[in-house]
């Protein structure tokens, strides 16, 4: 349940459990094309608003429509981003529902940070198709998410790399291994303990294929580390 205590715990852990968190956020923001005129970005599962803030800062002419399934997380994001006024437009939604997929504004970019792995694979495919339809011509869909290695060797490598990233990050931010020890004790490494995780990550290859099937072009992988990747595609200016 995403109540206030759980949300506060998540905000403390997210920068430690997400490999190169700050670099990922800056990479996503850097990949959004700037049309040079006011434009709209749709963010799926904004959480505490870390990516939202990076986008609002980088693009003074953008409005970010930040969706999340947790009222508590939206409250935290609203407090963090109050200085951006109406350029920050938060709203409650359910990622797997089609109810939000006909926005009243032209979506020039859709971004999803660490969220799509919560959906079953058919829901992922349907989401990619719906995002393609809602995007303006020339718009981009960018995803930062957990990916599923397709081999035992890949799983073992991702597990070891994620442990190392979380250990390094907790020491860097806290000067103490306490949060890494909790990460280990609670079996949070989904690559080491997949049976304990409610997540439903798909392979990178499958998701690139689903993007192409949905109509996206220039489908690419921009970054990858410790079982996490940034990837996406664009909607061509003219339908091919």
């Amino acid at each position: 349940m995403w109540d206030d205590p759980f949300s506060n715990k998540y905000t403390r852990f997210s920068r430690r459990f997400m490999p190169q968190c700050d670099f990922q956020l800056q990479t996503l923001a850097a990949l959004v094309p700037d049309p040079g005129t006011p434009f709209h970005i749709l963010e799926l599962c904004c959480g505490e608003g870390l990516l939202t803030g990076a986008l609002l800062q980088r693009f003074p002419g953008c409005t970010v429509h930040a969706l999340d399934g947790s009222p508590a997380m939206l409250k935290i994001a609203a407090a963090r981003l109050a200085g951006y006024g109406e350029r920050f437009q938060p709203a409650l939604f359910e990622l797997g529902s089609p109810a939000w997929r006909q926005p009243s504004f032209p979506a020039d970019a859709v971004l999803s940070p660490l969220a799509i792995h919560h959906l079953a694979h058919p829901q992922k495919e349907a989401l990619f198709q719906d995002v393609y339809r809602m995007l303006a011509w020339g718009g981009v869909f960018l995803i930062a998410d957990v990916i599923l290695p397709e081999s035992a060797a890949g799983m073992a490598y991702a597990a070891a790399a994620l442990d190392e990233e979380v250990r390094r990050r907790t020491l860097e931010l806290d000067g103490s291994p306490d949060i890494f020890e909790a990460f280990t004790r609670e079996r949070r490494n989904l690559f080491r303990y997949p049976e304990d995780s409610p997540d439903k990550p798909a392979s990178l290859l499958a998701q690139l294929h689903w993007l192409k099937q949905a109509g996206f072009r220039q489908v690419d992988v921009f970054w990858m580390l410790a079982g996490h990747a940034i990837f996406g595609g664009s909607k061509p200016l003219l339908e091919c």
Side-chain angles (χ1 to χ4, degrees):
M1 182 67 180
W2 288 85
D3 53 14
D4 286 341
F6 187 90
S7 297
N8 289 332
K9 182 179 181 181
Y10 176 84
T11 58
R12 187 181 180 202
F13 285 179
S14 61
R15 286 178 181 250
R16 295 152 178 83
F17 292 1
M18 185 177 175
Q20 294 186 355
C21 177
D22 296 333
F23 180 80
Q24 285 200 58
L25 300 178
Q26 293 303 319
T27 298
L28 284 167
L31 290 168
V32 174
D34 187 351
T37 57
F39 68 107
H40 296 266
I41 297 174
L42 181 63
E43 184 182 356
L44 312 181
C45 297
C46 68
E48 61 187 293
L50 297 178
L51 175 58
T52 321
L55 294 166
L56 291 167
Q57 182 177 21
R58 183 178 180 86
F59 302 110
C62 82
T63 297
V64 179
H65 303 264
L67 311 183
D68 202 89
S70 164
M73 295 304 292
L74 288 174
K75 179 180 175 182
I76 293 170
R80 176 190 296 276
L81 303 169
Y84 290 101
E86 293 186 358
R87 293 179 55 217
F88 170 60
Q89 294 287 326
L92 192 66
F93 89 140
E94 182 182 343
L95 179 61
S97 169
W100 57 272
R101 298 182 186 180
Q102 294 183 339
S104 59
F105 53 87
D108 299 284
V110 177
L111 279 70
S112 176
L114 205 62
I116 292 175
H117 63 274
H118 293 302
L119 298 177
H121 294 355
Q123 291 178 299
K124 294 182 181 73
E125 291 186 74
L127 174 65
F128 291 1
Q129 294 163 10
D130 288 342
V131 168
Y132 183 84
R133 283 191 287 267
M134 74 174 69
L135 269 175
W137 297 110
V140 296
F141 182 29
L142 298 170
I143 301 164
D145 212 348
V146 178
I147 56 171
L148 183 67
E150 298 198 70
S151 67
M155 285 289 283
Y157 180 80
L162 184 57
D163 275 346
E164 176 56 25
E165 279 298 304
V166 175
R167 185 197 65 80
R168 181 191 62 79
R169 188 64 168 161
T170 55
L171 289 173
E172 176 184 315
L173 292 178
D174 306 323
S176 163
D178 290 352
I179 290 182
F180 171 66
E181 289 171 359
F183 175 82
T184 302
R185 185 172 57 253
E186 296 173 14
R187 297 164 66 99
R188 293 290 191 96
N189 191 327
L190 68 91
F191 306 109
R192 194 175 299 285
Y193 307 109
E195 69 280 1
D196 291 352
S197 175
D199 296 335
K200 309 174 188 73
S203 73
L204 181 57
L205 183 61
Q207 293 183 83
L208 298 178
H209 178 66
W210 296 335
L211 286 170
K212 287 190 173 184
Q213 278 193 320
F216 288 98
R217 298 296 181 264
Q218 298 180 318
V219 173
D220 212 341
V221 180
F222 305 100
W223 171 92
M224 185 174 175
L225 177 68
H228 293 66
I230 295 176
F231 57 100
S234 62
K235 183 171 180 175
L237 288 173
L238 294 175
E239 185 104 54
C240 298

